[in-house]
Coordinates of all heavy atoms in Angstrom, one line a residue:
M1 N -10.2 5.8 6.1 CA -10.6 6.9 5.3 C -10.8 6.4 3.9 O -10.1 5.5 3.4 CB -9.5 8.0 5.4 CG -8.8 8.5 4.2 SD -7.6 9.8 4.4 CE -6.6 9.3 5.8
C2 N -11.7 7.0 3.2 CA -11.9 6.7 1.8 C -12.4 8.0 1.1 O -13.0 8.8 1.8 CB -12.8 5.5 1.5 SG -14.5 5.8 1.9
G3 N -12.0 8.1 -0.1 CA -12.4 9.3 -0.8 C -11.4 9.6 -1.9 O -10.6 8.8 -2.3
P4 N -11.5 10.8 -2.5 CA -10.6 11.2 -3.6 C -9.2 11.2 -3.1 O -8.9 11.7 -2.0 CB -11.1 12.6 -4.1 CG -12.2 12.9 -3.2 CD -12.5 11.9 -2.2
P5 N -8.2 10.7 -3.9 CA -6.8 10.7 -3.4 C -6.3 12.0 -2.9 O -5.5 12.0 -2.0 CB -6.1 10.2 -4.7 CG -7.1 9.4 -5.5 CD -8.4 10.1 -5.2
I6 N -6.7 13.1 -3.5 CA -6.1 14.4 -3.1 C -6.5 14.7 -1.7 O -5.8 15.4 -0.9 CB -6.6 15.6 -4.1 CG1 -5.9 16.9 -3.8 CG2 -8.1 15.7 -4.0 CD1 -4.4 16.9 -4.1
M7 N -7.6 14.2 -1.2 CA -8.1 14.4 0.1 C -7.2 13.7 1.2 O -7.1 14.2 2.3 CB -9.5 13.9 0.2 CG -10.2 14.0 1.6 SD -11.7 13.0 1.7 CE -10.9 11.4 2.1
Y8 N -6.6 12.6 0.8 CA -5.8 11.8 1.8 C -4.7 12.6 2.4 O -4.5 12.6 3.6 CB -5.2 10.6 1.1 CG -6.2 9.5 0.9 CD1 -7.6 9.7 0.6 CD2 -5.8 8.2 0.9 CE1 -8.5 8.7 0.4 CE2 -6.7 7.1 0.7 CZ -8.1 7.4 0.4 OH -9.0 6.4 0.2
K9 N -4.0 13.4 1.6 CA -2.9 14.2 2.1 C -3.3 15.1 3.2 O -2.7 15.2 4.3 CB -2.3 15.0 0.9 CG -1.2 15.9 1.3 CD -0.7 16.7 0.1 CE 0.2 17.8 0.5 NZ 0.6 18.7 -0.6
F10 N -4.5 15.8 3.0 CA -4.9 16.8 4.0 C -5.5 16.1 5.2 O -5.4 16.6 6.3 CB -5.9 17.7 3.3 CG -5.2 18.5 2.2 CD1 -5.4 18.2 0.9 CD2 -4.3 19.5 2.5 CE1 -4.8 18.9 -0.2 CE2 -3.7 20.2 1.5 CZ -3.9 19.9 0.1
V11 N -6.2 15.0 5.0 CA -6.8 14.3 6.2 C -5.7 13.7 7.0 O -5.7 13.8 8.3 CB -7.8 13.3 5.7 CG1 -8.2 12.4 6.9 CG2 -9.0 13.9 5.1
L12 N -4.6 13.2 6.4 CA -3.5 12.7 7.1 C -2.8 13.8 7.9 O -2.4 13.5 9.1 CB -2.5 12.0 6.2 CG -3.0 10.6 5.6 CD1 -2.0 10.2 4.5 CD2 -3.0 9.6 6.8
M13 N -2.7 15.0 7.3 CA -2.1 16.1 8.1 C -2.9 16.4 9.3 O -2.4 16.7 10.4 CB -1.9 17.3 7.2 CG -0.8 17.1 6.2 SD -0.4 18.5 5.1 CE -1.7 19.6 5.1
A14 N -4.3 16.4 9.1 CA -5.2 16.7 10.3 C -5.1 15.6 11.3 O -5.1 15.9 12.5 CB -6.6 16.9 9.7
L15 N -5.0 14.4 10.9 CA -4.9 13.3 11.9 C -3.6 13.3 12.6 O -3.6 13.1 13.8 CB -5.1 12.0 11.2 CG -6.5 11.7 10.6 CD1 -6.5 10.4 9.8 CD2 -7.5 11.6 11.7
K16 N -2.5 13.7 11.9 CA -1.2 13.8 12.6 C -1.3 15.0 13.7 O -0.8 14.8 14.8 CB -0.1 14.1 11.6 CG 1.2 14.1 12.2 CD 2.3 14.3 11.1 CE 3.7 14.3 11.7 NZ 4.7 14.5 10.7
E17 N -1.9 16.1 13.3 CA -2.1 17.2 14.2 C -2.9 16.8 15.4 O -2.7 17.3 16.5 CB -2.7 18.3 13.4 CG -2.5 19.7 14.1 CD -3.0 20.8 13.2 OE1 -2.5 20.9 12.1 OE2 -4.0 21.4 13.6
A18 N -3.9 15.9 15.2 CA -4.7 15.4 16.3 C -4.1 14.3 17.1 O -4.7 13.7 18.0 CB -6.1 15.0 15.8
E19 N -2.8 14.0 16.7 CA -2.0 13.0 17.4 C -2.6 11.6 17.3 O -2.5 10.8 18.2 CB -1.7 13.4 18.8 CG -0.9 14.7 18.9 CD -0.6 15.1 20.3 OE1 -0.9 14.3 21.2 OE2 0.0 16.2 20.4
V20 N -3.3 11.3 16.2 CA -3.8 9.9 15.9 C -2.6 9.1 15.5 O -1.8 9.4 14.7 CB -4.9 9.9 14.9 CG1 -5.3 8.5 14.5 CG2 -6.1 10.8 15.3
K21 N -2.4 7.9 16.2 CA -1.3 7.1 15.9 C -1.5 6.4 14.5 O -2.6 6.1 14.1 CB -1.2 5.9 16.9 CG -0.9 6.4 18.3 CD -0.9 5.3 19.3 CE -0.5 5.8 20.6 NZ -0.6 4.7 21.6
P22 N -0.3 6.3 13.7 CA -0.4 5.8 12.4 C -1.0 4.4 12.3 O -1.7 4.0 11.4 CB 1.0 5.7 11.9 CG 1.7 6.8 12.7 CD 1.0 6.8 14.0
E23 N -0.8 3.6 13.4 CA -1.4 2.2 13.4 C -2.9 2.3 13.6 O -3.6 1.2 13.4 CB -0.7 1.4 14.4 CG -0.9 1.8 15.8 CD 0.3 2.7 16.3 OE1 1.0 3.3 15.4 OE2 0.6 2.7 17.5
N24 N -3.5 3.4 13.9 CA -4.9 3.5 14.0 C -5.6 4.2 12.8 O -6.8 4.5 12.9 CB -5.3 4.3 15.3 CG -4.9 3.6 16.6 OD1 -4.9 2.3 16.6 ND2 -4.6 4.3 17.6
I25 N -4.8 4.4 11.8 CA -5.4 5.1 10.6 C -5.5 4.0 9.5 O -4.5 3.4 9.1 CB -4.4 6.2 10.1 CG1 -4.3 7.3 11.2 CG2 -5.0 6.8 8.8 CD1 -3.3 8.4 10.9
Y26 N -6.6 3.8 9.0 CA -6.9 2.9 7.9 C -7.3 3.6 6.6 O -8.1 4.5 6.7 CB -8.0 1.9 8.3 CG -7.6 0.9 9.4 CD1 -7.6 1.3 10.7 CD2 -7.1 -0.3 9.1 CE1 -7.1 0.5 11.7 CE2 -6.7 -1.2 10.1 CZ -6.7 -0.8 11.4 OH -6.3 -1.6 12.4
L27 N -6.7 3.2 5.5 CA -6.9 3.9 4.2 C -7.5 2.9 3.2 O -7.0 1.7 3.2 CB -5.6 4.4 3.7 CG -4.8 5.3 4.6 CD1 -3.3 5.2 4.2 CD2 -5.2 6.7 4.3
N28 N -8.4 3.3 2.5 CA -8.9 2.5 1.4 C -8.2 3.0 0.1 O -8.4 4.1 -0.3 CB -10.4 2.6 1.2 CG -10.9 1.8 0.1 OD1 -10.3 0.8 -0.3 ND2 -12.1 2.2 -0.4
L29 N -7.3 2.2 -0.4 CA -6.6 2.6 -1.6 C -7.3 2.0 -2.8 O -7.3 0.8 -3.1 CB -5.1 2.0 -1.6 CG -4.3 2.6 -0.4 CD1 -2.8 2.0 -0.6 CD2 -4.2 4.1 -0.5
E30 N -7.9 2.9 -3.6 CA -8.5 2.4 -4.8 C -7.6 2.5 -6.0 O -7.0 3.6 -6.2 CB -9.8 3.2 -5.0 CG -10.8 2.9 -3.9 CD -12.2 3.5 -4.1 OE1 -12.4 3.9 -5.3 OE2 -12.9 3.6 -3.2
R31 N -7.5 1.4 -6.7 CA -6.7 1.4 -7.9 C -7.5 0.8 -9.0 O -8.4 0.0 -8.7 CB -5.4 0.6 -7.7 CG -4.4 1.3 -6.7 CD -3.8 2.5 -7.3 NE -2.7 3.1 -6.5 CZ -2.9 4.0 -5.5 NH1 -4.1 4.4 -5.2 NH2 -1.9 4.5 -4.9
K32 N -7.1 1.1 -10.2 CA -7.8 0.4 -11.3 C -7.3 -1.1 -11.3 O -6.1 -1.4 -11.4 CB -7.4 1.0 -12.7 CG -8.0 2.4 -12.8 CD -8.0 2.8 -14.3 CE -8.4 4.2 -14.5 NZ -9.7 4.6 -14.2
M33 N -8.3 -1.9 -11.2 CA -8.0 -3.4 -11.1 C -8.5 -4.0 -12.4 O -9.4 -3.6 -13.0 CB -8.6 -4.0 -9.9 CG -8.1 -3.5 -8.6 SD -8.8 -4.4 -7.2 CE -8.5 -3.2 -5.9
K34 N -7.8 -5.1 -12.7 CA -8.2 -5.8 -13.9 C -8.5 -7.3 -13.6 O -9.6 -7.7 -13.7 CB -7.0 -5.7 -15.0 CG -7.5 -6.2 -16.3 CD -6.4 -5.9 -17.4 CE -6.9 -6.3 -18.8 NZ -5.9 -6.0 -19.8
C35 N -7.5 -8.0 -13.2 CA -7.7 -9.4 -12.9 C -8.3 -9.7 -11.5 O -9.1 -10.6 -11.3 CB -6.4 -10.2 -13.0 SG -5.2 -9.9 -11.7
G36 N -7.9 -8.9 -10.5 CA -8.4 -9.0 -9.2 C -7.8 -10.2 -8.4 O -8.3 -10.5 -7.3
V37 N -6.8 -10.9 -9.0 CA -6.3 -12.1 -8.3 C -4.7 -12.0 -8.2 O -4.1 -13.1 -8.1 CB -6.7 -13.4 -9.0 CG1 -8.2 -13.6 -8.8 CG2 -6.4 -13.4 -10.5
G38 N -4.1 -10.8 -8.4 CA -2.7 -10.7 -8.2 C -1.8 -11.2 -9.4 O -0.6 -11.5 -9.2
K39 N -2.4 -11.2 -10.6 CA -1.7 -11.7 -11.8 C -1.2 -10.6 -12.7 O -0.1 -10.7 -13.3 CB -2.5 -12.8 -12.5 CG -2.9 -14.0 -11.8 CD -1.7 -14.8 -11.5 CE -2.1 -16.1 -10.8 NZ -1.0 -16.8 -10.2
C40 N -2.1 -9.6 -13.0 CA -1.8 -8.7 -14.0 C -0.9 -7.5 -13.6 O -0.2 -6.9 -14.4 CB -3.1 -8.1 -14.6 SG -3.9 -6.9 -13.5
G41 N -0.8 -7.2 -12.4 CA 0.0 -6.1 -11.9 C -0.6 -4.7 -12.0 O 0.0 -3.7 -11.7
H42 N -1.8 -4.6 -12.5 CA -2.4 -3.2 -12.7 C -2.5 -2.5 -11.3 O -2.5 -1.3 -11.3 CB -3.8 -3.4 -13.3 CG -3.8 -3.4 -14.8 ND1 -4.6 -2.7 -15.6 CD2 -3.0 -4.1 -15.6 CE1 -4.4 -2.9 -16.8 NE2 -3.4 -3.8 -16.9
C43 N -2.7 -3.2 -10.3 CA -3.0 -2.5 -9.0 C -1.7 -2.5 -8.1 O -1.8 -2.1 -7.0 CB -4.1 -3.2 -8.3 SG -3.6 -4.9 -7.7
Q44 N -0.6 -2.9 -8.7 CA 0.6 -3.0 -7.9 C 1.2 -1.7 -7.4 O 1.3 -0.8 -8.2 CB 1.7 -3.8 -8.6 CG 2.9 -4.2 -7.8 CD 3.8 -5.1 -8.6 OE1 3.7 -5.3 -9.8 NE2 4.8 -5.6 -7.9
I45 N 1.5 -1.6 -6.1 CA 2.3 -0.5 -5.6 C 3.5 -1.1 -4.9 O 3.3 -1.6 -3.8 CB 1.4 0.3 -4.6 CG1 0.1 0.7 -5.2 CG2 2.2 1.5 -4.0 CD1 -0.9 1.2 -4.1
N46 N 4.6 -0.9 -5.5 CA 5.9 -1.6 -5.0 C 5.6 -3.1 -4.8 O 5.2 -3.8 -5.7 CB 6.4 -0.9 -3.8 CG 7.1 0.4 -4.2 OD1 7.2 0.7 -5.3 ND2 7.4 1.2 -3.2
N47 N 5.7 -3.5 -3.5 CA 5.5 -4.9 -3.2 C 4.1 -5.3 -2.8 O 3.8 -6.4 -2.4 CB 6.5 -5.5 -2.2 CG 6.5 -4.6 -1.0 OD1 6.0 -3.5 -1.0 ND2 7.1 -5.1 0.1
F48 N 3.1 -4.3 -2.9 CA 1.7 -4.5 -2.5 C 0.9 -4.7 -3.7 O 1.1 -4.1 -4.8 CB 1.1 -3.3 -1.7 CG 1.7 -3.1 -0.4 CD1 2.6 -2.0 -0.2 CD2 1.4 -3.9 0.7 CE1 3.1 -1.8 1.1 CE2 2.0 -3.7 1.9 CZ 2.8 -2.6 2.1
Y49 N -0.1 -5.6 -3.6 CA -1.1 -5.7 -4.6 C -2.4 -5.3 -4.0 O -2.9 -6.0 -3.0 CB -1.3 -7.2 -5.2 CG -0.1 -7.6 -6.1 CD1 1.0 -8.2 -5.5 CD2 -0.2 -7.4 -7.4 CE1 2.1 -8.6 -6.4 CE2 0.8 -7.8 -8.3 CZ 2.0 -8.3 -7.7 OH 3.0 -8.7 -8.5
V50 N -3.0 -4.2 -4.4 CA -4.2 -3.7 -3.8 C -5.3 -4.8 -3.8 O -6.1 -4.9 -2.9 CB -4.7 -2.4 -4.4 CG1 -6.0 -1.9 -3.8 CG2 -3.6 -1.3 -4.2
C51 N -5.4 -5.5 -4.9 CA -6.5 -6.5 -5.0 C -6.3 -7.7 -4.1 O -7.3 -8.3 -3.6 CB -6.6 -7.0 -6.5 SG -5.2 -8.0 -7.0
M52 N -5.1 -8.0 -3.7 CA -4.8 -9.1 -2.9 C -4.5 -8.7 -1.4 O -5.0 -9.4 -0.5 CB -3.7 -10.0 -3.4 CG -3.9 -10.5 -4.8 SD -5.2 -11.7 -4.8 CE -4.5 -13.1 -4.0
D53 N -3.8 -7.7 -1.2 CA -3.4 -7.3 0.1 C -4.3 -6.3 0.7 O -4.2 -6.0 1.9 CB -2.0 -6.7 0.0 CG -1.0 -7.6 -0.5 OD1 -1.0 -8.8 -0.2 OD2 -0.1 -7.2 -1.4
G54 N -5.2 -5.6 0.0 CA -6.1 -4.6 0.4 C -7.5 -4.9 0.0 O -7.8 -6.1 0.0
P55 N -8.2 -3.9 -0.3 CA -7.9 -2.5 -0.6 C -7.7 -1.7 0.7 O -7.3 -0.5 0.6 CB -9.0 -2.0 -1.4 CG -10.2 -2.8 -1.0 CD -9.7 -4.2 -0.6
V56 N -8.0 -2.2 1.9 CA -7.8 -1.4 3.1 C -6.4 -1.7 3.7 O -6.1 -2.9 3.9 CB -8.9 -1.7 4.1 CG1 -8.7 -0.9 5.4 CG2 -10.3 -1.4 3.4
F57 N -5.7 -0.7 4.0 CA -4.3 -0.8 4.5 C -4.2 0.1 5.8 O -4.8 1.1 5.9 CB -3.3 -0.3 3.6 CG -3.2 -1.2 2.3 CD1 -4.0 -0.9 1.2 CD2 -2.3 -2.2 2.2 CE1 -3.9 -1.7 0.1 CE2 -2.2 -3.0 1.1 CZ -3.0 -2.7 0.0
R58 N -3.4 -0.4 6.7 CA -3.0 0.5 7.8 C -2.0 1.5 7.3 O -1.1 1.1 6.6 CB -2.5 -0.3 9.0 CG -3.6 -1.0 9.7 CD -3.1 -1.6 11.0 NE -1.7 -2.1 11.0 CZ -1.0 -2.4 12.1 NH1 -1.6 -2.4 13.2 NH2 0.2 -2.9 12.0
F59 N -2.1 2.7 7.8 CA -1.1 3.8 7.3 C 0.3 3.4 7.7 O 1.2 3.6 6.9 CB -1.5 5.1 7.9 CG -0.6 6.2 7.4 CD1 -0.4 6.5 6.1 CD2 0.0 7.0 8.4 CE1 0.4 7.5 5.7 CE2 0.9 8.0 7.9 CZ 1.0 8.3 6.6
C60 N 0.5 2.8 8.9 CA 1.8 2.5 9.3 C 2.4 1.4 8.4 O 3.7 1.3 8.3 CB 1.8 2.0 10.8 SG 0.9 0.6 11.1
D61 N 1.6 0.6 7.8 CA 2.1 -0.4 6.9 C 2.6 0.1 5.5 O 3.3 -0.5 4.7 CB 1.1 -1.5 6.6 CG 0.8 -2.3 7.9 OD1 1.7 -2.4 8.8 OD2 -0.3 -2.8 8.0
L62 N 2.2 1.4 5.2 CA 2.5 2.0 4.0 C 3.6 3.0 4.1 O 4.0 3.8 3.2 CB 1.3 2.7 3.4 CG 0.1 1.9 3.1 CD1 -1.1 2.7 2.7 CD2 0.4 0.9 1.9
G63 N 4.2 3.1 5.3 CA 5.3 4.1 5.6 C 6.4 4.2 4.6 O 6.9 5.3 4.3
S64 N 6.8 3.0 4.0 CA 7.9 3.1 3.1 C 7.4 3.1 1.7 O 8.2 2.8 0.7 CB 8.8 1.8 3.3 OG 8.1 0.7 3.1
T65 N 6.2 3.4 1.5 CA 5.6 3.4 0.1 C 4.8 4.7 -0.1 O 3.6 4.7 -0.2 CB 4.6 2.2 0.0 OG1 5.2 1.0 0.5 CG2 4.3 2.0 -1.5
P66 N 5.5 5.9 -0.1 CA 4.8 7.2 -0.2 C 4.0 7.3 -1.5 O 3.0 8.0 -1.5 CB 5.9 8.2 -0.2 CG 7.2 7.4 -0.6 CD 7.0 6.0 -0.1
E67 N 4.3 6.6 -2.6 CA 3.6 6.7 -3.8 C 2.2 6.1 -3.7 O 1.4 6.2 -4.6 CB 4.4 6.2 -5.0 CG 4.7 4.7 -4.9 CD 6.0 4.5 -4.2 OE1 6.5 5.3 -3.4 OE2 6.6 3.4 -4.5
A68 N 2.0 5.3 -2.6 CA 0.7 4.7 -2.5 C -0.4 5.7 -2.2 O -1.6 5.5 -2.5 CB 0.7 3.7 -1.3
I69 N 0.0 6.9 -1.7 CA -1.0 7.9 -1.3 C -1.0 9.1 -2.3 O 0.0 9.5 -2.7 CB -0.8 8.4 0.1 CG1 -0.9 7.2 1.0 CG2 -1.8 9.5 0.5 CD1 -0.5 7.4 2.4
Ligands
LIG101 S1 -5.8 -6.4 -10.4 FE1 -4.4 -7.7 -11.4 S2 -2.9 -7.8 -9.9 FE2 -4.4 -6.7 -8.9

């Protein structure tokens, strides 16, 4: 899924209702990036760097990072 961040919450609720497994949900997390190589921290979400680890993540990998969504 990709789109405006507010949409993610509602699409995730719909996917849960449709019993889509979290490991089958992929999210594009867009963050303001600066360096793009994991040095500046602008895109950091806890221990993830969107520029280096993403920008596409599996939902099940973000389970302990609710602020990512
Ligand atoms: S953009 Fe600088 S760490 Fe990701």
Side-chain angles (χ1 to χ4, degrees):
M1 123 179 46
C2 67
I6 188 68
M7 180 194 80
Y8 284 31
K9 174 183 170 186
F10 297 104
V11 173
L12 285 170
M13 288 183 342
L15 291 173
K16 185 176 180 182
E17 200 172 296
E19 299 181 4
V20 176
K21 294 178 181 175
E23 60 266 25
N24 292 333
I25 300 172
Y26 290 81
L27 305 150
N28 179 23
L29 298 183
E30 296 189 12
R31 293 290 188 271
K32 291 199 188 294
M33 294 187 202
K34 194 169 182 181
C35 71
V37 292
K39 299 290 183 196
C40 72
H42 274 227
C43 68
Q44 187 174 9
I45 306 167
N46 288 349
N47 53 344
F48 293 108
Y49 287 91
V50 175
C51 69
M52 298 296 289
D53 303 318
V56 178
F57 295 88
R58 287 190 324 167
F59 182 57
C60 62
D61 295 334
L62 299 171
S64 61
T65 316
E67 60 271 27
I69 299 170

